[in-house]
Amino acid sequence: RNQETWPVHFPEKNRSRTYMHDNTNIRLLSPQDPDLQAALYSEYYAETCAKGGVAIQQCGYIRTLPLCTGAIGDQDYLSKTETFEKQKQFTEADKTSDEPALNVLDKGYRSCLAAQKEGQQCMQPNFAQSDMRFNSNQTLNSAAVAVVRSGNERAVRVVKRSWFVRRGGSLGFLDLSLINDVWMA
């Protein structure tokens, strides 16, 4: 609130790098080849699709991550696209903060160990067994993660507003590499 005390509470070198990650689907036509159809079919989305990542940074910068086949899981997606490795390279080159990256993930990701190997941290909602109930701390933690991640859901909607991204894969005559190029732009 007071500009004079701002540096005391928020020192320059303690500014965090927060990345919120989510995956989304880009609908595709079903191919004739059964092997290709199996690779592109997503159980989660119940359709033939490509899966793309969307990340939003604390400053509001939205970035897309490369498209992969629809059958890939969230953890495998982050590994295949080398997301944590690229974030580590950015952290090493960026001298504005000494803080490690903080990745805010939903329950579908099982990537905290991979992030830790790259010197990063993860924040995820708590998990509960089928009949177990959360205690008050677990409830507050999950609610906090949900509030933070709601910004990423809006980022996904923003990148999917493009007419081409919404329809490109279902037009049938377009090359998947062209759809990826448009997605990455």
Side-chain angles (χ1 to χ4, degrees):
R1 294 178 185 227
N2 186 336
Q3 289 181 345
E4 295 170 9
T5 60
W6 185 266
V8 173
H9 297 292
F10 303 101
E12 286 281 327
K13 288 292 184 179
N14 289 346
R15 293 188 180 157
S16 65
R17 290 182 189 86
T18 304
Y19 303 98
M20 293 179 281
H21 294 280
D22 204 359
N23 286 343
T24 189
N25 62 320
I26 305 297
R27 195 171 278 163
L28 301 173
L29 291 177
S30 293
Q32 297 295 324
D33 179 8
D35 292 332
L36 185 56
Q37 187 173 5
L40 292 173
Y41 187 80
S42 168
E43 294 286 333
Y44 181 80
Y45 294 111
E47 67 181 5
T48 302
C49 64
K51 186 180 279 190
V54 178
I56 186 169
Q57 292 178 231
Q58 218 169 14
C59 62
Y61 178 70
I62 300 171
R63 64 188 169 102
T64 53
L65 304 171
L67 294 177
C68 291
T69 59
I72 195 168
D74 290 342
Q75 177 179 346
D76 293 333
Y77 178 85
L78 290 176
S79 297
K80 184 176 178 80
T81 58
E82 299 177 335
T83 300
F84 297 133
E85 292 85 350
K86 291 175 183 174
Q87 287 175 184
K88 181 180 181 182
Q89 291 171 357
F90 175 78
T91 300
E92 290 169 350
D94 178 25
K95 302 301 179 198
T96 62
S97 176
D98 294 332
E99 293 295 310
L102 171 64
N103 296 281
V104 182
L105 307 169
D106 69 12
K107 291 189 290 187
Y109 292 91
R110 302 288 188 267
S111 303
C112 289
L113 184 59
Q116 287 173 351
K117 287 181 181 177
E118 297 299 330
Q120 300 173 37
Q121 301 170 347
C122 283
M123 186 167 91
Q124 287 183 285
N126 288 66
F127 301 93
Q129 301 290 333
S130 60
D131 290 338
M132 292 187 65
R133 300 181 80 187
F134 286 148
N135 64 34
S136 59
N137 286 339
Q138 291 169 326
T139 301
L140 290 173
N141 176 46
S142 292
V145 173
V147 167
V148 170
R149 288 202 76 260
S150 66
N152 205 53
E153 297 299 330
R154 287 188 290 277
V156 168
R157 283 197 305 276
V158 167
V159 298
K160 290 180 87 172
R161 281 185 192 158
S162 160
W163 182 93
F164 187 83
V165 168
R166 281 197 321 261
R167 294 173 186 86
S170 60
L171 296 175
F173 61 89
L174 297 173
D175 186 334
L176 291 177
S177 64
L178 175 62
I179 295 169
N180 186 58
D181 288 345
V182 172
W183 172 256
M184 293 297 292

